[in-house]
Amino acid sequence: MSEQAADYFSMLGVPRQFDVDEASLTRAYRELQRSVHPDRFAGGSDRERRLAVQKSSQINEAYETLRSVTRRAAYLLKLAGHPVDTSNTTFSDPEFLMQQLQLREELSDLHDATDPEAALDAFYCDVDNAMAEQKAVFVTGLDADIEQAKAAYAKLQFLEKLRSEAEQKESELLDY
């Protein structure tokens, strides 16, 4: 398979860039899935059914990659010839380290908040603002300084994980 054929942006008909229009992405995904859905080939040959399953799987992978901020960032780095492995990443940016500490403290204090819903909303707002900053740094770095883009990607991973932890706490805090 050629690199062009493997380009998820081309597959889903969206521009190859970090910022994607999620509505357009979802619309393209649904249209493509309808056209290749394996049920449409139920009466076809084994080869046609197998190809439909493969294509459907590729479309799912493309959609999930481009829908996720961190997976999309990693994919863009890979397309730029700079695949990343952040499994052993440590941060030396003192400002980001301080932000991490503050956000971790804010997350752990949610249990003691007098208004957990308001505290959770404030936490999400802080994380979203930090993510917006890192997204902007990533976009700038992808065009001008790949190391800056890689660092922003690693920070986005941290922030996304922190947000995910808060979402897990949400049901516990708000008695869902």
Side-chain angles (χ1 to χ4, degrees):
M1 180 177 286
S2 72
E3 186 64 33
Q4 184 64 25
D7 182 335
Y8 295 159
F9 293 96
S10 298
M11 182 185 297
L12 290 167
V14 295
R16 186 191 287 196
Q17 60 190 29
F18 183 71
D19 292 321
V20 295
D21 177 355
E22 290 188 30
S24 296
L25 181 66
T26 299
R27 192 174 30 258
Y29 165 75
R30 289 180 180 154
E31 285 176 23
L32 276 173
Q33 280 296 8
R34 271 193 295 274
S35 70
V36 300
H37 195 279
D39 289 349
R40 294 191 66 205
F41 300 91
S45 68
D46 288 345
R47 183 175 189 278
E48 288 172 327
R49 287 193 305 267
R50 188 179 65 250
L51 288 175
V53 169
Q54 287 175 342
K55 189 66 178 172
S56 180
S57 176
Q58 290 171 342
I59 293 167
N60 280 337
E61 177 64 22
Y63 179 65
E64 293 302 323
T65 298
L66 298 186
R67 215 174 100 185
S68 161
V69 168
T70 52
R71 289 181 67 182
R72 185 172 58 244
Y75 186 65
L76 282 166
L77 286 168
K78 180 181 169 189
L79 290 176
H82 302 278
V84 288
D85 174 15
T86 56
S87 57
N88 295 320
T89 299
T90 56
F91 297 105
S92 57
D93 175 353
E95 188 176 317
F96 185 71
L97 291 171
M98 184 57 71
Q99 184 183 48
Q100 279 187 57
L101 290 173
Q102 289 171 342
L103 289 171
R104 282 265 167 228
E105 189 174 311
E106 192 177 342
L107 181 62
S108 69
D109 289 347
L110 289 174
H111 284 290
D112 301 326
T114 53
D115 183 353
E117 191 169 346
L120 199 54
D121 287 345
F123 178 78
Y124 284 141
C125 184
D126 290 344
V127 171
D128 291 346
N129 287 338
M131 287 187 81
E133 285 176 29
Q134 293 308 318
K135 288 176 187 176
V137 171
F138 179 83
V139 169
T140 302
L142 192 59
D143 289 336
D145 181 349
I146 207 70
E147 293 306 317
Q148 179 183 338
K150 287 180 176 180
Y153 163 71
K155 292 172 183 176
L156 281 168
Q157 281 191 306
F158 167 79
L159 293 166
E160 188 174 75
K161 182 179 175 193
L162 198 59
R163 195 175 210 298
S164 176
E165 289 175 31
E167 289 168 354
Q168 290 174 354
K169 277 189 170 188
E170 185 174 342
S171 61
E172 178 185 318
L173 289 169
L174 303 179
D175 285 332
Y176 290 155

